[in-house]
Amino acid sequence: VDWMLALGSRLAGFRPALSRVLLGDAVLTGGVAGYVSRSYTTAITSESKLLDAEKEVFRANGALSLVSLEDTRIASGESLHSAKISAKISSAAPPLVITPGYASGVGFFARNVPHLHSEIAEHKQKPRECHIVDWLGTGLSSRPRFSARSLAETEAFFVESLEGWRAAQKIDKMVLCGHSLGGYLSFAYAERYPSRVEHLVLLSPAGVPHEPEGFRSRLNARLPWLARALLPVVTTAWSAGVTPGSVVRVMGPYGRGFVESLVRRRFGEGETRDLEALADYAYLNVALEGSGEHALSQILRPFAWAHSPLCDRIEGLRQRGVTDISFIYGDHDWMDHTHALAVQKANPSVPIEVKVVPRAGHQLQLQNPRGFSMALAEAVQGRSVLY
């Protein structure tokens, strides 16, 4: 990002034109180069290839035999894709339902499946089924045209489809667990359907705090003047709906290598086969036609501050009857766990637990699979049951 800012600032005199370049797929992928890039991306991506890549991610982690991959049709006619970890012993315990974050999918939890299988699904005292569910418009779930034009419509796009999945699965109550933007959307689901949520677990959730007063002026003060010149372009592109997927799609044959370099840099501690499978899965996931990804600017302002911060909505959630809330973060997570501690302090009437996983950042489930899985199992099962 620093290099992009520095390079872009050299074009400060052409900022209006540069802004137009970044304003979205229609302009970003225009012309002959754009046509070639789109044609290449379309030719090498498909849902069947994404499904194969997802299976390979699970296989590389010794987890394919532990899950059943399902596509559940909901009342709207669309379908939601999920990976189910069944409990061999029948139990009345509400199932654990995990929802991925932005631009990810169920395969991002493949490293955790063996732990979830042994510590939750087949726990001797309190076994419970586990489901990892792709949000509508993401992963291998249906990808309808995204037409929401307000925060309420955007939240409903995801919330109502998850409710449709719950009804189709005949789940009465669940432990709902969401990562990053999936955490924000899981919170929104609990607001709308509180009677269906026994326990809300937020994994490094997006959108918790307010944007601090003076944040942008302090950011400007820290950046070199050349970098400051491009900030208006970046914020304009964000507000106009430019997404990581649109960038990857326009990169054509270079998109796969770009995603692989990010995967290796951020999650490089896995086995070679695991990393290759994860890179392939991550690329195919974002390179497919965009749908739910376009919700980003409807929910978050530039620099990932929420239009409607969750810190203002906790008390309302308690009043609706959701009183068991856990936050889990990585110890070097850019979603700062101190925001959850502030929420905990400001809402003494709400039982809020905050956990921090060592040796993990924002993608804690990938960066410390064992530590994350233990923290999740403790939150869901309770230490007294787990140990």
Side-chain angles (χ1 to χ4, degrees):
V1 172
D2 291 340
W3 279 104
M4 290 173 63
L5 289 169
L7 177 62
S9 64
R10 294 183 179 276
L11 304 175
F14 304 97
R15 190 180 299 160
L18 186 58
S19 297
R20 287 195 296 274
V21 169
L22 292 172
L23 282 181
D25 281 351
V27 176
L28 191 66
T29 61
V32 175
Y35 174 78
V36 172
S37 295
R38 290 197 307 275
S39 299
Y40 175 88
T41 303
T42 301
I44 66 168
T45 60
S46 66
E47 289 187 2
S48 63
K49 289 180 180 178
L50 179 57
L51 177 59
D52 290 341
E54 180 181 276
K55 290 179 180 178
E56 182 58 27
V57 173
F58 283 112
R59 187 178 293 112
N61 286 278
L64 186 58
S65 63
L66 302 177
V67 299
S68 55
L69 303 178
E70 302 178 347
D71 295 290
T72 302
R73 189 160 296 280
I74 59 178
S76 63
E78 286 123 353
S79 66
L80 264 60
H81 179 74
S82 63
K84 177 181 177 181
I85 311 170
S86 296
K88 284 186 178 179
I89 306 170
S90 61
S91 171
L96 170 64
V97 177
I98 300 173
T99 62
Y102 185 79
S104 64
V106 302
F108 274 63
F109 288 86
R111 292 182 182 179
N112 313 111
V113 166
H115 304 303
L116 298 176
H117 178 262
S118 62
E119 292 152 14
I120 297 180
E122 294 204 342
H123 190 272
K124 291 181 180 179
Q125 295 183 47
K126 199 175 183 180
R128 65 174 87 225
E129 284 186 346
C130 302
H131 303 261
I132 311 166
V133 186
D134 281 335
W135 291 102
L136 181 64
T138 71
L140 281 162
S141 291
S142 297
R143 296 189 176 220
R145 180 177 176 273
F146 185 80
S147 58
R149 290 295 177 265
S150 68
L151 178 61
E153 290 178 359
T154 299
E155 290 185 357
F157 176 88
F158 298 102
V159 166
E160 298 306 326
S161 58
L162 183 60
E163 169 59 11
W165 175 87
R166 181 209 62 78
Q169 290 283 335
K170 296 181 171 55
I171 293 172
D172 181 43
K173 267 185 165 317
M174 56 186 164
V175 175
L176 183 57
C177 172
H179 175 247
S180 193
L181 193 64
Y184 176 98
L185 295 170
S186 294
F187 189 104
Y189 176 91
E191 286 180 315
R192 180 70 179 85
Y193 297 102
S195 66
R196 301 303 183 183
V197 179
E198 179 190 69
H199 182 181
L200 181 63
V201 183
L202 304 175
L203 310 174
S204 187
V208 174
H210 287 272
E211 179 176 337
E213 186 176 351
F215 166 77
R216 301 201 186 193
S217 61
R218 290 196 300 274
L219 178 64
N220 276 328
R222 289 201 307 269
L223 291 173
W225 71 269
L226 289 176
R228 289 197 299 270
L230 192 59
L231 281 180
V233 177
V234 173
T235 56
T236 298
W238 179 292
S239 300
V242 174
T243 67
S246 60
V247 174
V248 169
R249 287 189 288 273
V250 79
M251 292 179 74
Y254 302 102
R256 174 61 171 77
F258 173 70
V259 172
E260 181 174 4
S261 69
L262 291 177
V263 168
R264 290 189 178 277
R265 187 162 61 247
R266 298 181 66 187
F267 318 125
E269 295 184 1
E271 298 293 331
T272 299
R273 181 184 177 189
D274 172 36
L275 288 173
E276 290 177 352
L278 185 60
D280 200 33
Y281 174 74
Y283 169 68
L284 291 167
N285 195 22
V286 298
L288 283 174
E289 183 178 0
S291 175
E293 69 184 66
H294 297 297
L296 190 63
S297 61
Q298 298 283 356
I299 295 173
L300 302 176
R301 302 202 306 270
F303 307 104
W305 305 107
H307 291 292
S308 178
L310 302 185
C311 62
D312 295 338
R313 299 158 65 172
I314 289 282
E315 175 59 24
L317 197 62
R318 183 194 68 80
Q319 293 175 3
R320 290 177 175 87
V322 179
T323 58
D324 197 356
I325 303 173
S326 299
F327 289 83
I328 306 177
Y329 293 84
D331 64 351
H332 54 275
D333 197 327
W334 69 275
M335 295 287 187
D336 196 337
H337 76 278
T338 60
H339 297 313
L341 292 175
V343 168
Q344 184 185 55
K345 183 177 180 180
N347 296 271
S349 62
V350 183
I352 295 175
E353 175 186 41
V354 181
K355 290 179 174 290
V356 178
V357 176
R359 301 182 305 282
H362 183 56
Q363 296 288 347
L364 60 168
Q365 81 279 17
L366 286 165
Q367 293 160 331
N368 184 353
R370 177 65 177 171
F372 160 76
S373 299
M374 288 304 299
L376 179 59
E378 287 181 5
V380 172
Q381 303 289 70
R383 289 185 64 88
S384 61
V385 172
L386 194 62
Y387 303 115

